[in-house]
Amino acid sequence: MVTLAAPIEALRMRLAGGVERPLLRDGAGALEALLEARRSAYAEAHSTVAADAPVDAVAEAVTAQARGALSMLVPLGERSYRVWVGPLDGLAREMTGMVPAAVVTDATVARHWGEAAERALGGRPARVVLRPGERSKTLRSVARVWDAAGARGADRRGVIACVGGGVVTDVGGFAASTWLRGVPYVSVPTSLLAMVDA
């Protein structure tokens, strides 16, 4: 499912053609009210494509989405998100409009996947390497992630990506939810527990 989105001005121009729209009979403000009423349903789409481009470009964008990686939508209205299943090197495509701020991992996973994760995210995120194990679930570890995000000048588009097991995804997820009242978070779980839990 794809949401076709356009600025309100573009929608008004399209509606100016004289075609009667029963849901918009109430006059001024009806379009805004309709969009607001449908906002959570639109948010549950697998992706959003800008529909104020030429028709061919819109069709091409929708087709590209259909050819994309396997993903599952977790439908939660405006809090909907996708679980993407695919190779690590496809992450950057999934993060359009976001800026990688930090990769959180542990020493064991970093040896095998640290550099690959940074390349997959694109940009030059900071790497925060935790000690493996439950002892790393501390506010000190969270503060290290905050410090890394701050050093990168991360704003609300700054992504915190966690590559590892449950400790890594818990620490990184908490850090992402509390940095600037919440920033985008990507979880790349490397254990079954992390896949279920995070």
Side-chain angles (χ1 to χ4, degrees), residues 45-100:
H46 287 88
S47 60
T48 300
V49 170
D52 55 340
V55 173
D56 289 347
V58 173
E60 188 175 320
V62 171
T63 303
Q65 294 290 339
R67 290 190 190 123
L70 175 64
S71 65
M72 265 183 358
L73 180 73
V74 178
L76 297 171
E78 291 181 54
R79 296 181 303 116
S80 298
Y81 63 92
R82 288 192 298 155
V83 176
W84 182 73
V85 181
L88 191 58
D89 61 9
L91 269 179
R93 284 194 310 272
E94 300 299 306
M95 293 176 33
T96 304
M98 297 182 235
V99 179

Side-chain angles (χ1 to χ4, degrees), residues 106-194:
D106 68 29
T108 303
V109 175
R111 281 196 301 272
H112 301 287
W113 296 104
E115 288 181 20
E118 290 171 16
R119 280 195 311 272
L121 289 166
R124 298 184 60 80
R127 190 191 302 186
V128 179
V129 181
L130 306 176
R131 287 185 309 169
E134 291 290 320
R135 289 180 301 164
S136 286
K137 264 195 205 179
T138 65
L139 285 177
R140 181 173 289 165
S141 295
V142 172
R144 289 181 59 202
V145 181
W146 290 335
D147 289 344
R152 283 290 189 269
D155 59 16
R156 295 298 295 275
R157 298 177 305 127
V159 178
I160 294 177
C162 302
V163 183
V167 171
V168 167
T169 53
D170 285 349
V171 168
F174 181 79
S177 70
T178 51
W179 176 255
L180 299 178
R181 300 184 310 281
V183 295
Y185 162 72
V186 173
S187 176
V188 184
T190 58
S191 69
L192 181 60
L193 178 60

Side-chain angles (χ1 to χ4, degrees), residues 20-27 29-34 38 42:
E20 185 172 338
R21 305 282 180 166
L23 294 177
L24 301 176
R25 284 185 183 150
D26 294 338
L31 180 58
E32 289 85 348
L34 185 61
R38 294 179 174 178
Y42 291 158

